[in-house]
Amino acid sequence: MLVKTKAIVISSLKYQEKSLIVKCFTQSHGLKTYFVRDAFSSRKSNQKIAYFQPLTILEIEAVHKNKGTLENFKEIKIAMPFQTLHSDIFKSTIVMFISEILHHSIHEEEKNEHLFAFLETALHWLDNHDEIVNFHLILMLEITKYLGFYPDISEIEFPFFDTTEGVFTPFHGIGSLTEHETNLFKKLINLKFDNAQKIFHVIERQIVLKILIDYYTFHLDGFRKPKSLDVLKEVFS
């Protein structure tokens, strides 16, 4: 089946000497994995490889056999070039981290156009703004809306958040955050990308990040702590 769609690059892995295996989150068919033959062997190899930097948004024409095997691109171009996402050290670190989060979070080959639209909008926001220290925290929390485990905030006035149930409670249980951690989590829930990004101190930001990683780990089968987590902490310390 010939498909034309937008696609966000999640990861790319070198295969043998000249080829790539590229995982993309497509607008029309969810998660798909493509084989790019001879990505490193032509004169245009640098241009080809640039297409597959993490979280690059592509417009692709591809042949989907839908047999659980690797698919193939027919045509490919960058949907809208990013200006700063891969050149700014702070943004590129966030991009590396978020691509790993998505790699371990999106598993199904079914479309999720609302998640795709959110990610596309969020990445363009990141490309065009400089106050970004909490971007990854807000993004991780917002993604849970589209994956089905956003916190129930109907009783957000309660002092403890139970991470296993995803609810706020009046009592501190085994799966609960401390009152201090819960207050930080409430701050995050009220944050938007355009809010003041200096609401957390460095230590507080690391606490919130750990809460989110633990929350993902509990609610998503197969989720693993990103390898780039230490780099992210170092860059934003």
Side-chain angles (χ1 to χ4, degrees), residues 64-100:
H64 287 179
K65 296 178 182 177
N66 297 317
K67 293 182 179 178
T69 55
L70 298 178
E71 313 290 14
N72 292 284
F73 295 117
K74 281 199 71 177
E75 299 288 338
I76 182 169
K77 65 179 181 178
I78 293 177
M80 185 179 293
F82 290 125
Q83 303 303 312
T84 63
L85 224 60
H86 297 108
S87 56
D88 179 283
I89 181 63
F90 297 101
K91 293 182 182 183
S92 63
T93 302
I94 286 177
V95 162
M96 181 170 58
F97 176 75
I98 292 298
S99 66
E100 278 197 81

Side-chain angles (χ1 to χ4, degrees), residues 44-212:
K44 294 183 179 180
S45 63
N46 287 338
Q47 182 183 353
K48 254 187 184 179
I49 295 163
Y51 290 155
F52 305 119
Q53 293 184 87
L55 304 190
T56 300
I57 303 175
L58 304 172
E59 288 181 6
I60 66 170
E61 188 174 310
V63 177
H64 287 179
K65 296 178 182 177
N66 297 317
K67 293 182 179 178
T69 55
L70 298 178
E71 313 290 14
N72 292 284
F73 295 117
K74 281 199 71 177
E75 299 288 338
I76 182 169
K77 65 179 181 178
I78 293 177
M80 185 179 293
F82 290 125
Q83 303 303 312
T84 63
L85 224 60
H86 297 108
S87 56
D88 179 283
I89 181 63
F90 297 101
K91 293 182 182 183
S92 63
T93 302
I94 286 177
V95 162
M96 181 170 58
F97 176 75
I98 292 298
S99 66
E100 278 197 81
I101 292 291
L102 294 173
H103 179 78
H104 295 307
S105 302
I106 303 173
H107 303 299
E108 297 182 11
E109 284 195 20
E110 61 181 50
K111 68 179 179 181
N112 189 335
E113 291 185 273
H114 294 299
L115 175 56
F116 188 95
F118 167 71
L119 290 173
E120 185 177 29
T121 300
L123 291 171
H124 285 304
W125 187 94
L126 179 62
D127 191 45
N128 289 296
H129 291 80
D130 296 322
E131 292 291 331
I132 60 166
V133 291
N134 296 320
F135 176 88
H136 54 296
L137 304 177
I138 300 169
L139 189 81
M140 282 186 71
L141 182 62
E142 289 295 309
I143 285 172
T144 66
K145 289 180 180 177
Y146 304 95
L147 298 182
F149 60 102
Y150 187 76
D152 179 351
I153 59 173
S154 59
E155 295 178 309
I156 196 170
E157 72 278 2
F158 286 148
F160 303 104
F161 180 69
D162 187 320
T163 57
T164 57
E165 298 296 328
V167 298
F168 290 89
T169 69
F171 308 108
H172 188 270
I174 295 174
S176 298
L177 303 179
T178 66
E179 194 164 355
H180 174 60
E181 291 169 339
T182 300
N183 285 331
L184 293 177
F185 195 56
K186 287 179 182 180
K187 275 188 179 182
L188 176 64
I189 287 172
N190 290 317
L191 268 188
K192 302 298 179 189
F193 290 134
D194 286 320
N195 290 142
Q197 289 271 326
K198 295 178 181 177
I199 192 168
F200 296 122
H201 299 302
V202 173
I203 298 300
E204 291 177 332
R205 195 180 307 120
Q206 292 184 0
I207 291 170
V208 174
L209 182 56
K210 183 182 184 304
I211 291 169
L212 287 167

